[in-house]
Amino acid sequence: MTTVIGISGSVLLDPIYSPVIIKRSYVNEQYVEAIAQEGAVPFIIPVTDPSYIPAFIARIDGLLLSGGYDVNPYEYGEETLSRAGESYPERDFFEKALLLEAVAQGKPVLGVCRGAQVINVTYGGSLYQDVSYASHAKLQHLQATDGAFPVHDVKLTKYSCFAKIFDKEVIGVNSFHHQLIKELAPGFKATGKTSDGVIEALEKEGDLFVAGVQWHPEQMYHQNDDMKRLFRAFIEYSAL
């Protein structure tokens, strides 16, 4: 039976029919392509009535939390600072509930960029609202170059899930995040860091795969065998 991977959708507020603002649900096509290329069925989950969440999760084998808006600082107990980016609280609420339901139903979860931050915040962690607020962040974490190619390395913890997936302890990644993980959520391990100490990968302790990466593997997928291995491994976890 074909493995089905749910991809959390984002919302675009489109003023094209001004003065009426149209809400559009979408995901970046690169997520869809990476999932489909590895032989699974992509299932897009829109931000909608939370009462649908148990049914959505019941119909998928694994959940991919996609990138997008900043997580609202209020979600981790902070007031919004001047350099915080745009947030969409409705999506924050929906994805937190989506994540908890996936874990409750025993479905593996992979968070990408914002998705990794949602995982951390949902379980009690916090974020730097902008890279400028993290004095240790010296590398370029918001690149201006093509996302298909890496801009810095990530060192992976030996024997971690990610080290096993990539079969190496150092990988090259792209970087498109201006928020960073600050306090790691209880029950999680930071299993990937840059040379300046920024957390780039986290994993939940326990048997169920619940993990996140701060980079965008879907943008590197066609050019990078490591990222193909990541999507393949996630689909294999989900197929179990």
Side-chain angles (χ1 to χ4, degrees), residues 128 131 134-142 152-155 175 177 180-181 192-200:
Y128 290 104
V131 64
S135 59
H136 64 291
K138 306 298 184 184
L139 297 178
Q140 186 182 45
H141 291 280
L142 188 58
H152 63 64
D153 288 339
V154 170
K155 184 175 182 180
S175 195
H177 60 100
L180 317 174
I181 291 173
K193 290 186 178 182
T194 52
S195 60
D196 58 357
V198 170
I199 296 173
E200 291 277 341

Side-chain angles (χ1 to χ4, degrees), residues 66-112:
S66 65
Y69 292 103
D70 283 7
V71 177
N72 189 334
Y74 194 79
E75 294 290 341
Y76 47 93
E78 293 186 9
E79 294 183 344
T80 302
L81 301 177
S82 61
R83 294 175 185 168
E86 185 179 6
S87 62
Y88 191 77
E90 184 180 350
R91 183 181 178 191
D92 295 339
F93 178 83
F94 185 84
E95 285 191 340
K96 287 172 69 177
L98 198 66
L99 166 61
L100 293 173
E101 183 64 27
V103 173
Q105 292 193 29
K107 306 295 175 72
V109 180
L110 174 64
V112 171

Side-chain angles (χ1 to χ4, degrees), residues 22 28 30 38 68 77 87 115 151 192 213 217 226:
I22 305 297
N28 289 342
Q30 291 163 316
E38 293 299 331
S87 62
V151 293
V213 297
D226 285 337

Side-chain angles (χ1 to χ4, degrees), residues 10 17 30 36 44 50 54 64 66 69 110 123 129 168 189 202:
S10 189
Y17 298 111
Q30 291 163 316
I44 299 171
L64 191 155
S66 65
Y69 292 103
L110 174 64
Y123 284 94
Q129 294 182 35
K168 60 180 70 172
K189 297 178 290 184
L202 72 160

